[in-house]
Amino acid sequence: MKKLVILGAGTAGTMMLNKLSNVLDKNEWQITIVDQHETHYYQPGFLFIPFGIYQRKDVVKPKRDFFPTGANVVMSEIDRIEPEKNQVILKNNVVLPYDYLIIATGAQIRPEEVEGMKNGQWHKSIFDFYTVEGACALADFFKHWEGGKLVVHVTEMPIKCPVAPLEFAFLADSYFTERGMRDKVDITFVTPLPGAFTKPRASSILGDFLNKKNIHLTSEFNIARVDNEAKRIVSWDEVEVPFDVLVTIPTNMGDPAIQRSGLGDELNFVPTDKNTLVAEGQKNIFVIGDATNLPSSKAGSVAHFEADILLENFMSVVEGRAPSQKFDGHANCFIESGFGKGILIDFNYDTEPLPGKFPLPGVGPFSLLEETKMNHYGKVMFRWMYWNFLLKGQELPVESNMTMAGKRM
Amino acid sequence: MVVATSPAMTLARDADGNLANRADWTKEIAVQLAMEEGITELTDRHWLVITYMKEQFEAKGDAPSIRKLTKESGVETKELYALFPKGPAKKAAKIAGLPKPKGCI
């Protein structure tokens, strides 16, 4: 029996388990998936919780609902990977030998990386919305808040879903307008980037949206510390931004097990070949999703596109051929812009987001880099697609690698 | 209006405005690149960081991120921001004649 071990049963790991269970011969392969948590979170839904649009129950399901029947599931924390011995050591010292390994251990927020972020006002007037706990605490806070300075802040790149903080600012504008108190809420978007987003053309268009919605932008702000007493964030070059409520995206890092294995970079992300998805310096270890150090967005759509490429390359490698498929960094993101509208962007390593129609050239129904109601419906509908198709590894009507058809230069 | 006449301005650049050819780099060019970033004088501390960036690039094929700089260059984050305001990793890479670090997306 050949042994495949998948580390992490989030979006990427679950997709790979389903895809590979369908194609690998059960008489020849034993597939094991390892995760320490029973609950699967629909992370894109966290964004909506602070505004009362979703509740906790809308974003959680048991992981087991998405595993294929007969899957070998190990619920345990991972201590470390020993690549030279082809084995994984679990927290209880159980040893899992493997012939092939897929790392899908994701990324998590680490507020303790910034001085003062975690040990004062955390979940009192400083919140994250990248955990269900943070998002729910913020929902409770907003219900009773009477207004003041709302600061939406990105600590450092890379972060999961780089558009989420912008969406948060847009939705906050919409939420406080609909509650009739927008005039009492001053919204500032604070980012270490030179503009609203990572890519120049989208950055300029999204920057205009911030302007239109009367959201102030403070760019190139690299946070040094949170001053809990004076309620302000301070940059390394002593710029200060005061807040009444701080909604921050803390530093995102890979799993501590990656660090313990000596397989990560300074943020515990695994150096990965950006085309083949093979871990650098390894032959039988693949990496997918947020766990990689790829210069692509950390997003479910990226993991989904990677999954198709990884499946092909995995089959090539186990059959003794070189990995043939190349991932192009394709990402596809619905951006909620508030008031029931949304913006869609589609891009890869080399092509920045461009205007046009998606997925059918000239037809749509979605519009790229434009604010439409249909784009919002796409985002809402996606949750259903996620639970019912995507996690189960079924095909969606979108190409894995990006296409220029329908885009305007 | 001051007309810029620095030789660095005539050199080929990439999309980020960094030198397209590392071979074009000299210490004199570095001084001019620093000027473009609003840094009027390169001190020994600047050169310590620039030299470290160049060594890392030779060894690893990518310029180090700010986290790596803080950990390994021997210069604290606070001082890095004082030396290279706003973006130490990005600016030091540019002045060192290297492409923008991959981590800076």
Side-chain angles (χ1 to χ4, degrees), chain A residues 61-72:
Chain A
K61 285 186 195 286
K63 281 192 169 133
R64 283 174 191 277
D65 287 4
F66 303 95
F67 296 150
T69 43
N72 189 18

Side-chain angles (χ1 to χ4, degrees), chain A residues 113 156-158 192-194 198 219-220 222 225 235-239 251 253 266-267 294-296, chain B residues 64-69 71 76-79 81-82 85-88 90-91 100 102-105:
Chain A
E113 288 287 311
E156 65 182 303
M157 300 300 290
L193 295 169
T198 53
S219 56
E220 293 188 307
N222 291 284
R225 62 183 192 278
S235 73
W236 289 108
D237 44 8
E238 298 296 333
V239 176
T251 302
M253 290 177 78
E266 56 276 17
L267 287 167
L294 300 190
S296 54
Chain B
S65 67
I66 176 73
R67 276 180 169 265
K68 225 169 163 219
L69 266 179
K71 244 192 198 165
E76 297 276 327
T77 312
K78 178 95 188 164
E79 190 187 350
Y81 278 94
K86 300 291 178 191
K90 199 169 69 180
K91 288 194 176 170
K100 188 167 87 172
K102 288 192 195 103
C104 298
I105 44 171

Side-chain angles (χ1 to χ4, degrees), chain A residues 53-353:
Chain A
I53 302 166
Y54 283 175
Q55 293 170 306
R56 177 192 279 265
K57 66 174 170 45
D58 297 315
V59 299
V60 296
K61 285 186 195 286
K63 281 192 169 133
R64 283 174 191 277
D65 287 4
F66 303 95
F67 296 150
T69 43
N72 189 18
V73 181
V74 177
M75 281 291 161
S76 166
E77 202 177 323
I78 301 154
D79 184 59
R80 64 188 186 276
I81 303 159
E82 295 183 333
E84 67 288 351
K85 293 184 186 160
N86 291 322
Q87 63 187 26
V88 176
I89 315 291
L90 303 179
K91 256 279 137 44
N92 48 10
N93 284 324
V94 168
V95 177
L96 283 182
Y98 63 81
D99 296 293
Y100 296 92
L101 183 70
I102 296 176
I103 299 176
T105 42
Q108 45 192 251
I109 60 160
R110 300 285 287 276
E112 63 278 10
E113 288 287 311
V114 173
E115 185 189 331
M117 192 178 276
K118 185 81 185 275
N119 47 13
Q121 287 291 313
W122 186 248
H123 289 183
K124 295 189 191 97
S125 63
I126 302 175
F127 299 90
D128 73 286
F129 66 94
Y130 273 47
T131 59
V132 78
E133 293 79 15
C136 290
L138 185 51
D140 288 341
F141 179 91
F142 275 162
K143 272 182 215 159
H144 306 288
W145 195 43
E146 288 173 359
K149 291 190 178 68
L150 165 62
V151 172
V152 184
H153 166 251
V154 179
T155 300
E156 65 182 303
M157 300 300 290
I159 56 167
K160 289 193 262 196
C161 191
V163 294
L166 275 173
E167 296 181 276
F168 186 92
F170 295 155
L171 284 174
D173 167 61
S174 177
Y175 173 78
F176 291 115
T177 302
E178 280 161 8
R179 285 181 55 188
M181 56 182 284
R182 181 65 176 89
D183 56 334
K184 296 195 183 66
V185 180
D186 180 75
I187 309 177
T188 304
F189 188 79
V190 181
T191 172
L193 295 169
F197 189 55
T198 53
K199 312 269 174 176
R201 197 145 162 199
S203 181
S204 131
I205 290 174
L206 295 168
D208 288 345
F209 277 108
L210 287 176
N211 240 331
K212 267 193 277 181
K213 293 171 193 288
N214 195 22
I215 298 164
H216 314 292
L217 174 66
T218 301
S219 56
E220 293 188 307
F221 183 97
N222 291 284
I223 190 169
R225 62 183 192 278
V226 179
D227 182 343
N228 282 276
E229 262 100 76
K231 283 206 168 178
R232 61 190 174 193
I233 48 175
V234 184
S235 73
W236 289 108
D237 44 8
E238 298 296 333
V239 176
E240 295 176 355
V241 178
F243 65 84
D244 292 304
V245 55
L246 174 68
V247 177
T248 186
I249 319 303
T251 302
N252 280 210
M253 290 177 78
D255 197 278
I258 300 301
Q259 187 178 23
R260 290 192 288 269
S261 311
L263 282 171
D265 63 13
E266 56 276 17
L267 287 167
N268 301 346
F269 294 123
V270 185
T272 305
D273 185 295
K274 67 181 223 180
N275 295 129
T276 63
L277 306 176
V278 177
E280 277 177 19
Q282 310 292 333
K283 288 198 173 70
N284 56 346
I285 303 180
F286 295 86
V287 198
I288 182 168
D290 297 346
T292 73
N293 76 334
L294 300 190
S296 54
S297 290
K298 294 194 181 296
S301 70
V302 176
H304 167 67
F305 300 135
E306 286 171 346
D308 291 331
I309 307 288
L310 180 46
L311 176 66
E312 295 294 324
N313 285 347
F314 183 88
M315 297 314 289
S316 296
V317 168
V318 300
E319 286 164 11
R321 292 176 284 127
S324 57
Q325 294 293 309
K326 288 189 179 353
F327 181 58
D328 70 348
H330 189 194
N332 180 279
C333 313
F334 286 102
I335 305 171
E336 275 297 291
S337 56
F339 302 100
K341 290 185 180 175
I343 306 162
L344 180 64
I345 55 175
D346 191 64
F347 57 103
N348 68 12
Y349 292 138
D350 305 316
T351 309
E352 64 166 319

